[in-house]
Amino acid sequence: MSASLPSPTIQATTPAEDAAAQLAPRLAAQASASDQEGSFPEQEFDWLHAASLLTAPLPIHLGGQDLAAASQTPSLLRTLRHIGRGNLAVGRVYEGHTNALQLAQRFGRTEQVARWAEDAAAGHLFGVWNTQAHDGVQLEPLPDGRYRLRGSKTFGSGAGHVTRPLLTGALPDGGWQMLILPADVQVPQLDKSFWQPLGMRASASFRVDFTGLEVGADDLLGQPGDYYRQPWFSGGAIRFAAVQLGGAEAVFDETRLFLQKTGRTEDPYQRQRLGELAILIESGQHWLRAAAEHAMRPQATEDADTTVAYANMVRTAIEEICLRTLQLAERCVGARGLLRPEPFERLHRDLTHYLRQPAPDAALADAGRFALASTSPAYTLWHD
């Protein structure tokens, strides 16, 4: 009698990812209406709020689902992937919301986190605005213990709608300080003319001027330099990679639907391309599962160098998967599929633009640097 093999472990889904999966088709159906320069998917974020996704990154005792905890990384990445396949602009802003709440919990004081949790429950959108304009943000200490802001950020995704942006700014001594601005009270000036993009038009990523606004000490988050602490700064790349892969999955689905509608499923070359696309999408999902496992290692924080190098390898692999997906999909649908109102046209623009994340060459070189410095054999290089 042969020994029975153990049953494969099926990872249970969470309420957050179930809600995101159910919302994805609605987001996709609404995406063309939101795809206007300078617009923002307000209705879509009302849906996310109603589905408790704005509070999902918070700990359970503060009304959330603990989605930002390291132990929930698989669920977080799947949630982001689902929202990305619904609408990449929504995914981009929601990823920033999640990132801000993660940083708030990691570096904030107990009373601060409780206050910001109440804000998220009330529907406030958080985000992370770090990219400095030529007149980057500076914090000027005032005699009463408050701080006056001066300068601007660019690529402020969700500007005008994100009411709790997490900013970074320079202190007089050169320190780099985080703060969360109550932007519904201290209202910054928006330069919408900055945002004339190829894709991601609905993300409203404007230039934002904070000159003259004031914040208190309770608005400061953590200590100077905390924002760039590793592995969290670079390791967070797996979040936007998850959103990007969701966009690639949407491209796959629309390409297949286009071929089915046009009666081209019997073409052997189309079948070959769909086979390649299927391999790419499944490869991306394997990368995200591995990324989640790597981020959950007990030593992930202490072994920051390995964690960052692996995250850089993941973002590089997902970028290549997405670029190859776009190339194959273009050949499948041809010129006709690139015409509006076909969804493929918008998906192509949005994903192409979103893939341009900062320093892609440096990210790949960092993974290579780590590999060159190691003496471990390949089979234990990333998983000891």
Side-chain angles (χ1 to χ4, degrees):
M1 182 176 177
S2 60
S4 60
L5 295 174
S7 300
T9 301
I10 305 298
Q11 192 164 28
T13 60
T14 64
E17 63 188 275
D18 287 342
Q22 292 171 13
L23 271 178
R26 293 176 67 191
L27 296 176
Q30 180 69 13
S32 61
S34 301
D35 181 38
Q36 306 294 327
E37 208 159 277
S39 69
F40 185 78
E42 294 184 57
Q43 184 176 38
E44 290 88 325
F45 275 96
D46 287 342
W47 296 341
L48 265 65
H49 184 204
S52 298
L53 285 167
L54 297 189
T55 54
L58 296 168
I60 293 171
H61 74 275
L62 290 178
Q65 299 177 38
D66 223 12
L67 194 63
S71 61
Q72 293 299 308
T73 304
S75 179
L76 171 61
L77 297 185
R78 291 194 295 267
T79 299
L80 291 169
R81 202 184 84 219
H82 284 310
I83 295 176
R85 71 180 173 89
N87 185 328
L88 280 170
V90 176
R92 166 67 191 95
V93 176
Y94 184 69
E95 187 275 324
H97 176 84
T98 301
N99 186 13
L101 289 178
Q102 280 188 321
L103 289 166
Q105 292 172 68
R106 183 171 295 124
F107 298 115
R109 300 188 302 275
T110 301
E111 65 273 15
Q112 287 180 306
V113 177
R115 185 176 83 242
W116 291 324
E118 290 179 359
D119 288 343
H124 285 280
L125 266 181
F126 289 69
V128 177
W129 298 346
N130 179 54
T131 306
Q132 296 277 64
H134 67 280
D135 58 340
V137 172
Q138 300 178 53
L139 280 70
E140 174 190 350
L142 300 175
D144 63 357
R146 292 175 63 79
Y147 295 82
R148 181 176 294 124
L149 306 183
R150 184 174 73 252
S152 305
K153 297 285 187 181
T154 55
F155 297 100
S157 293
H161 303 271
V162 167
T163 49
R164 295 294 182 271
L166 186 155
L167 313 178
T168 50
L171 293 166
D173 63 2
W176 201 242
Q177 178 66 51
M178 288 186 288
L179 64 97
I180 293 182
L181 179 75
D184 54 339
V185 178
Q186 294 287 320
V187 183
Q189 296 296 311
L190 308 182
D191 178 6
K192 297 183 179 182
S193 67
F194 169 82
W195 189 239
Q196 300 182 48
L198 167 71
M200 301 290 283
R201 296 191 294 191
S203 68
S205 300
F206 306 143
R207 181 179 180 272
V208 189
D209 188 345
F210 305 94
T211 301
L213 303 184
E214 294 184 7
V215 295
D218 285 344
D219 298 314
L220 303 188
L221 173 61
Q223 300 300 312
D226 279 348
Y227 180 74
Y228 287 110
R229 284 177 60 183
Q230 298 288 20
W232 303 295
F233 176 65
S234 299
I238 62 176
R239 290 190 309 269
F240 69 68
V243 182
Q244 291 170 344
L245 184 64
E249 291 179 356
V251 169
F252 174 90
D253 289 340
E254 288 298 334
T255 301
R256 181 178 54 187
L257 180 61
F258 181 87
L259 294 177
Q260 290 169 344
K261 290 191 304 184
T262 54
R264 296 160 66 185
T265 58
E266 299 301 315
D267 185 312
Y269 301 109
Q270 298 288 18
R271 288 180 171 181
Q272 178 180 338
R273 282 192 284 264
L274 260 291
E276 290 184 64
L277 285 168
I279 291 172
L280 287 168
I281 297 301
E282 184 65 12
S283 297
Q285 293 179 4
H286 280 297
W287 270 112
L288 286 187
R289 284 193 286 271
E293 291 174 2
H294 207 264
M296 291 190 299
R297 291 173 305 134
Q299 69 272 33
T301 299
E302 291 74 18
D303 192 9
D305 199 33
T306 307
T307 303
V308 169
Y310 196 83
N312 281 331
M313 190 166 63
V314 171
R315 65 169 280 191
T316 302
I318 296 294
E319 180 192 16
E320 292 179 352
I321 285 168
C322 292
L323 289 171
R324 181 59 178 157
T325 295
L326 287 171
Q327 183 184 49
L328 285 167
E330 287 172 13
R331 294 184 179 184
C332 286
V333 304
R336 181 178 172 184
L338 290 168
L339 298 174
R340 287 190 296 267
E342 290 292 342
F344 184 86
E345 183 270 342
R346 171 184 48 79
L347 288 168
H348 193 291
R349 284 188 288 107
D350 284 355
L351 184 54
T352 297
H353 193 98
Y354 193 30
L355 287 173
R356 294 304 100 225
Q357 293 291 330
D361 299 319
L364 179 57
D366 179 72
R369 175 204 57 78
F370 178 87
L372 282 170
S374 175
T375 57
S376 299
Y379 78 97
T380 63
L381 182 58
W382 305 103
H383 307 281
D384 49 24

